[in-house]
Amino acid sequence: MAQPGGGVALALRGGKIFRVPGCRHMPANLTPDYLAAEQEFRRAKTAEEKLAALRRMLSTIPKHKGTEKLQADLKRRLAKLSEEVQSQARRRGFSIHVEREGAGQVAVAGPPNSGKSSVVGALTGVAVPVAPHPYTTKAPVPAMMQYEDIRIQLVDLPPISSEHAEGWVSNVVRNADAALLVVDVSSEDVLERIEDCLSVLEDKKVRLVGGEPAPDPWAAVVEKKARLVGAKLDLPGAAERWRAVRELYGERLRPLAVSAATLENVELLRGEIFRMLRIVRVYSKPPHKPPDRARPFVVAEGSTILDLAAVIHRDLADRLRFARVWGHGKFDGQRVTKDYVLADGDVVELV
């Protein structure tokens, strides 16, 4: 883990940072995503939170020789903690961890009978259990949403209210990349239900925000990027109540109303979920061959050519000389340096 101005390599053991004997140089090129995950681990209070942070650290650490010892240490710690969490889950009767899949994970929360399961179904095409009585969803239900040429994981969660909320729901929201708060805009008490959900989550140290979360890793309450989604827009009275919701939460949670029944604005919501994740798709191009547009690499906004090389293969970053890019604002095949910042849709040939 990097220290300003250089120093010895560090390793993670037992939740603490240690020097690696015999190493004079630290792992280089640690990405902003890795450093953010490292801070999440430091402030994690439960085994589940630590496990999620370790998984993110391992998935975002640059894969090259300079980080091999740290990668091995992370894997050992991850295996040990995974066994602890699974043992606890077996004693409770089920696991609360949702394994990440796709280009990102978005938690879908809301009050009872909010219509969130129907919204998830409309976005994914998966038949999520829906019933007129509250608390139909008892455990996390993951489903994959297709966005153009990538898939994003949505996790439908049990309902949240001050009357009843599963204790682990806030952990899933905290560990996801982003969240949707789905409410029934045809309900007369929609404003009260929004405040009730936000209050319950904040009591559990999670605050939903529409903009970029505060970068303070030591904050008592973790901020999570979210959008307020008004469901059941097709029902009587929904349009009028939605105007009130927008007036109160327009700046705070950037609301968007949809109808799972008529599919109104469902495609708009799909695009908003993609933009919330702040990821870019990059297409690789072998020399003298057309680009592979079937399977894009997905990296965080702000990632560079060097970050992409590390994602493709751990040794490639060490051997990379330069790259050629076909994309926005560049002429075809323009030569760029390793620190070129990638844009969504870029085609890259690594040399």
Side-chain angles (χ1 to χ4, degrees):
M1 300 171 191
Q3 299 286 334
V8 298
L10 303 179
L12 178 68
R13 293 191 182 93
K16 297 182 180 180
I17 309 299
F18 293 88
R19 297 172 183 268
V20 177
C23 291
R24 298 185 59 191
H25 301 287
M26 68 196 117
N29 305 318
L30 293 179
T31 64
D33 281 349
Y34 175 85
L35 296 175
E38 178 185 285
Q39 295 295 350
E40 285 182 15
F41 181 87
R42 290 179 180 178
R43 65 172 180 257
K45 294 189 170 45
T46 67
E48 289 82 5
E49 293 172 14
K50 291 179 180 179
L51 188 61
L54 280 172
R55 283 194 175 98
R56 183 169 293 195
M57 290 167 70
L58 190 58
S59 67
T60 57
I61 189 171
K63 307 301 191 294
H64 53 71
K65 291 183 180 179
T67 64
E68 285 180 351
K69 290 187 177 180
L70 182 53
Q71 288 180 60
D73 192 76
L74 287 171
K75 289 176 181 177
R76 284 192 295 269
R77 179 62 176 156
L78 186 61
K80 181 179 178 181
L81 192 56
S82 293
E83 178 56 36
E84 292 177 8
V85 171
Q86 290 171 13
S87 177
Q88 293 172 5
R90 285 192 291 269
R91 290 195 293 269
R92 290 194 301 266
F94 67 98
S95 174
I96 62 171
H97 173 70
V98 181
E99 194 70 34
R100 289 173 178 271
E101 294 184 42
Q105 185 185 80
V106 178
V108 184
N113 283 50
S114 63
K116 60 181 175 57
S117 295
S118 296
V119 170
V120 171
L123 288 165
T124 64
V126 174
V128 180
V130 178
H133 53 81
Y135 304 104
T136 305
T137 305
K138 303 293 186 183
V141 180
M144 301 304 292
M145 180 190 83
Q146 190 75 32
Y147 176 77
E148 297 181 357
D149 52 4
I150 61 172
R151 300 203 305 163
I152 296 168
Q153 185 186 55
L154 306 183
V155 184
D156 188 15
L157 297 172
I160 298 173
S161 74
S162 53
E163 296 175 356
H164 178 78
E166 299 287 350
W168 51 265
V169 167
S170 60
N171 288 337
V172 177
V173 176
R174 180 186 293 109
N175 295 327
D177 298 307
L180 301 179
L181 179 60
V182 181
V183 296
D184 176 3
V185 290
S186 71
S187 173
E188 293 182 357
D189 61 350
V190 59
L191 297 178
E192 290 82 358
R193 285 173 174 262
I194 293 171
E195 282 303 312
D196 187 45
C197 281
L198 293 175
S199 177
V200 170
L201 286 171
E202 188 133 0
D203 286 345
K204 296 180 180 297
K205 312 303 181 186
V206 180
R207 179 182 299 128
L208 302 185
V209 297
E212 290 303 309
D216 183 6
W218 310 114
V221 178
V222 175
E223 292 189 347
K224 183 62 57 177
K225 184 188 292 186
R227 294 291 181 267
L228 177 61
V229 179
K232 308 182 185 181
L233 184 60
D234 55 297
L235 296 185
E240 292 78 9
R241 295 188 181 96
W242 180 242
R243 282 194 285 271
V245 171
R246 289 175 58 191
E247 287 180 10
L248 288 173
Y249 297 97
E251 293 295 326
R252 181 178 175 186
L253 287 172
R254 303 183 186 179
L256 175 65
V258 302
S259 168
T262 67
L263 301 184
E264 182 178 358
N265 291 340
V266 168
E267 289 306 310
L268 290 177
L269 178 57
R270 197 188 305 272
E272 186 60 26
I273 291 171
F274 170 75
R275 288 185 288 275
M276 249 203 315
L277 293 175
R278 296 195 64 183
I279 53 180
V280 297
R281 294 161 295 176
V282 182
Y283 304 87
S284 63
K285 181 187 178 304
H288 312 297
K289 294 182 180 180
D292 180 4
R293 293 192 175 274
R295 294 177 298 173
F297 290 96
V298 179
V299 295
E301 278 187 6
S303 295
T304 65
I305 290 288
L306 193 61
D307 296 327
L308 174 64
V311 168
I312 295 174
H313 195 280
R314 64 180 184 180
D315 294 331
L316 187 55
D318 293 332
R319 296 185 286 109
L320 182 66
R321 291 166 51 211
F322 63 91
R324 293 188 176 90
V325 174
W326 291 254
H328 302 86
K330 300 293 177 185
F331 60 79
D332 285 351
Q334 181 171 343
R335 178 169 170 165
V336 297
T337 58
K338 299 178 184 180
D339 59 356
Y340 167 80
V341 177
L342 297 161
D344 189 47
D346 276 350
V347 174
V348 177
E349 179 184 298
L350 300 177
V351 179

